[in-house]
Amino acid sequence: MPPADTRDDISLRSFRLGIGLATGAVAAFLLVQLNAWPPHEDETLALFVGHKPLGQLYHTVLDQRGGAPLHFLITHLVTAISPTLTALRLISVVFAVASIPVIGLVLARLADRRTALVATVIGAASWVTLFHGIYGRMYSLFLFASALSFLALLRAMRDNRWLSWGLWGVAILATLASHQYGAFVLAIQAGYVLFTRLRREVSLRPGAWVLLAVVVAALPLWHSNLVLASRFDVGIGGGGSQLGGPLPVLEYLRAALGDFVAGWTELFVVVAAVAVFGLVVLYRRRLPTFVLCLLVFAVPVVGLTLARVGGSVNAPETRHLIFALPFFALMVAAGLVDLVARAGERAPAVLALSVAGLVAAELAWGWASTPTLYAGEPVKRQQAREEAEAWLASTSRPNDVFFGYDPLYLGARERGADIGNIIVPRADPNLALKALTSQREPLGRGVWVLDASDGSRIVSNTSPRLEITDRSPGAAFETRTFGPFLIIRTIKPTVTPFDFLWDTVAVQRMGYWDLDVATAAVNENTAQTALRELETRQEGTALRVTTGGQ
């Protein structure tokens, strides 16, 4: 798919040098800032689940939690060597850095090298790339796998060999195993292949057979996605209500595109206008690329509009569309390159200044969105966190029951404590109940953490702070405060799931109403819902006993 006009394009050497510099800059930033951002709950979850034996890991991810298992599998392999947060984050660093040259190669096949280089630089400086290059979850892996699948697809479509289609099959299967939105990537690519098939007579036989093999091989992943949908009422499957038509989906898309570059309204309007103009440029000069860019955004919009989405806190977020980042950057770059070309001899300088300004805006948006990613965790909070971890490490017992995947538990385990054997998920009543009822009774002491520095916005008057009041739900609990952290623990074992859930309600109600901790509202709802389900089960059991099992 050669460019329409390459007379003013940059040399291959310049392109490679630019991609190399962008890759090196991303690598340097991520390695320097690797531990600047404080540990997160989802990273703790990944490490605790990933450290399980392989059989338990498979059952937990595919049959209980749902979602894509590849990142958990990689985490399992890495934590066998070093079960630390640093090792987990290095996984994200590796895939984020590796994504940059792959994105450059993909875009160079879809446009001229100058446009591809500009787009790659824009994508490399994005907050989405940099944040998820540190965040120890699956999103940089998803970016890498999806970009690699597009690269493999373009190659397979060019030479139409069985080997090339087979490599695409491996890449798209990795994409599906990286995130449930990999299904969107597969649909986008299928639509793109069909479009090219309509334009010219080519045999799709090798690709069709490989696609069939991928669909069959991904059966466990389809099952896992249905499990996830049943948990959160998101995606295909029953439950939940529709997102409310295309308008909320378009609002979500606008927010995601803002995060891709800079979300301030005035600046985003300008960038979006350039991107729309870039789409027009692609339509005039590279129709297949234009169609691919349209599909990249149209497929998720249609899919999310039709999907049943309930009131879950796990509604779509920017990171779920990370696979679309290179294509939005391409649209912006195509418009920018065409616009500055009108400056004549000054065009290279104008382009360089324009790209530098956009990169600066991206970095500023990242700082505004996640300041600790750039400035680091406040010293006071870091010291308090370390003291809390040390106290948990020295006073916890192996049979303690921990509520939520709080990062303090991970820090305590890294200090050598044998903790985290029983963790009750805080945002899913069904999983919480499974975690409790699968344990032998009597259960150990209950442990909860309230964090006043949590920036969640569930109630309007909540604001993060670095101090929390030492308050107890009652005489049955002991408490310790460390800066913004209040650790609450029962003095005696909780004994039964029923008692643990009642204690959880008491702790979270106090945290929400008395201490203004935002996440306590979600946690109390989880415990209340699990309690009602447990009471229903116990009533059903009592009825069967009374009626003799009839």
Side-chain angles (χ1 to χ4, degrees):
M1 198 176 297
D5 187 354
T6 61
R7 289 174 296 177
D8 296 324
D9 201 6
I10 61 174
S11 67
L12 180 59
R13 180 179 179 181
S14 298
F15 174 75
R16 289 174 175 172
L17 177 61
I19 295 296
L21 290 173
T23 304
V26 170
F29 176 86
L30 297 181
L31 290 174
V32 169
Q33 298 298 109
L34 183 63
N35 293 309
W37 191 57
H40 190 269
E41 175 184 12
D42 288 348
E43 295 176 308
T44 304
L45 183 153
L47 276 167
F48 275 100
V49 173
H51 197 54
K52 292 182 177 182
L54 203 55
Q56 292 183 25
L57 173 64
Y58 179 89
H59 175 67
T60 299
V61 175
L62 294 184
D63 296 329
Q64 291 186 341
R65 302 198 63 87
L70 184 56
H71 184 263
F72 284 107
L73 178 59
I74 296 173
T75 300
H76 176 81
L77 298 176
V78 170
T79 55
I81 302 172
S82 176
T84 63
L85 179 62
T86 298
L88 178 72
R89 288 185 170 181
L90 283 173
I91 298 172
S92 294
V93 170
V94 167
F95 285 111
V97 173
S99 297
I100 306 305
V102 175
I103 289 171
L105 291 173
V106 171
L107 300 184
R109 289 179 179 268
L110 296 172
D112 59 89
R113 288 192 290 265
R114 187 191 306 276
T115 302
L117 177 58
V118 170
T120 303
V121 171
I122 294 172
S126 171
W127 167 80
V128 175
T129 301
L130 298 179
F131 174 74
H132 292 98
I134 287 177
Y135 181 39
R137 293 296 276 125
M138 76 286 288
Y139 297 100
S140 67
L141 169 63
F142 186 33
L143 175 63
F144 172 78
S146 60
L148 192 64
S149 72
F150 278 106
L151 182 62
L153 176 70
L154 294 173
R155 178 182 177 182
M157 292 175 64
R158 182 187 63 188
D159 58 33
N160 204 30
R161 293 187 301 161
W162 280 97
L163 177 60
S164 297
W165 281 110
L167 293 174
W168 168 78
V170 173
I172 194 61
L173 194 58
T175 303
L176 293 169
S178 298
H179 195 272
Q180 58 271 20
Y181 278 29
F184 286 152
V185 178
L186 178 60
I188 291 163
Q189 295 181 358
Y192 182 64
V193 171
L194 288 176
F195 167 77
T196 58
R197 174 66 175 80
L198 293 175
R199 296 188 74 217
R200 54 192 177 94
E201 289 293 330
V202 292
S203 172
L204 295 179
R205 187 174 178 182
W209 280 108
V210 171
L211 174 61
L212 179 61
V214 166
V215 171
V216 173
L219 284 176
L221 302 177
W222 308 132
H223 165 73
S224 180
N225 290 342
L226 289 173
V227 171
L228 183 66
S230 68
R231 284 180 55 215
F232 293 118
D233 294 329
V234 176
I236 57 176
S241 58
Q242 287 194 337
L243 197 56
L247 184 57
V249 175
L250 293 176
E251 291 174 350
Y252 158 61
L253 181 62
R254 178 262 177 269
L257 297 182
D259 282 337
F260 284 174
V261 279
W264 294 295
T265 301
E266 296 79 4
L267 181 57
F268 177 73
V269 168
V270 174
V271 174
V274 174
V276 171
F277 178 69
L279 199 58
V280 174
V281 171
L282 293 174
Y283 173 76
R284 292 173 177 173
R285 300 178 183 174
R286 299 172 181 274
L287 184 60
T289 302
F290 164 81
V291 170
L292 180 56
C293 288
L294 276 186
L295 287 170
V296 164
F297 297 101
V299 168
V301 166
V302 172
L304 292 174
T305 300
L306 297 177
R308 294 182 176 274
V309 181
S312 167
V313 294
N314 287 272
E317 297 184 29
T318 295
R319 59 180 181 258
H320 300 139
L321 289 183
I322 195 170
F323 66 87
L325 170 61
F327 299 92
F328 185 66
L330 176 61
M331 291 162 53
V332 174
L336 193 60
V337 169
D338 191 85
L339 286 171
V340 303
R342 305 170 192 220
E345 295 180 355
R346 292 175 293 178
V350 174
L351 181 61
L353 288 174
S354 300
V355 173
L358 186 53
V359 167
E362 289 180 288
L363 297 177
W365 176 254
W367 193 296
S369 301
T370 317
T372 50
L373 177 66
Y374 300 83
E377 182 181 15
V379 174
K380 184 176 182 179
R381 187 182 190 276
Q382 181 180 353
Q383 292 174 344
R385 177 168 55 80
E386 291 173 352
E387 291 171 2
E389 292 168 354
W391 184 80
L392 278 173
S394 63
T395 63
S396 294
R397 301 171 186 168
N399 68 334
D400 284 346
V401 183
F402 295 86
F403 185 77
Y405 285 89
D406 195 278
L408 295 184
Y409 309 154
L410 175 61
R413 192 180 75 169
E414 289 190 0
R415 293 172 182 270
D418 182 16
I419 68 173
N421 300 314
I422 308 174
I423 296 185
V424 180
R426 71 174 187 86
D428 186 328
N430 292 327
L431 280 186
L433 205 51
K434 286 181 181 178
L436 287 169
T437 56
S438 64
Q439 302 298 323
R440 290 184 178 180
E441 298 182 14
L443 298 176
R445 299 176 301 177
V447 183
W448 302 264
V449 174
L450 298 177
D451 181 5
S453 62
D454 189 336
S456 301
R457 290 294 189 273
I458 297 177
V459 289
S460 59
N461 61 339
T462 298
S463 59
R465 55 199 186 278
L466 295 178
E467 294 287 345
I468 193 169
T469 303
D470 188 352
R471 188 164 297 181
S472 173
F477 303 86
E478 62 175 332
T479 63
R480 293 291 188 280
T481 58
F482 303 90
F485 305 107
L486 173 60
I487 302 177
I488 303 172
R489 187 166 61 194
T490 57
I491 297 173
K492 297 180 180 180
T494 54
V495 182
T496 69
F498 190 87
D499 293 330
F500 177 87
L501 290 171
W502 264 119
D503 288 341
T504 301
V505 170
V507 170
Q508 303 305 325
R509 184 170 293 167
M510 181 196 72
Y512 178 68
W513 291 107
D514 297 346
L515 300 176
D516 202 23
V517 175
T519 53
V522 174
N523 299 340
E524 182 186 356
N525 181 67
T526 296
Q528 292 277 21
T529 304
L531 264 175
R532 288 193 294 269
E533 175 62 24
L534 186 59
E535 289 172 346
T536 301
R537 293 183 187 181
Q538 290 177 344
E539 290 172 358
T541 301
L543 180 61
R544 286 195 296 272
V545 171
T546 303
T547 59
Q550 298 177 2

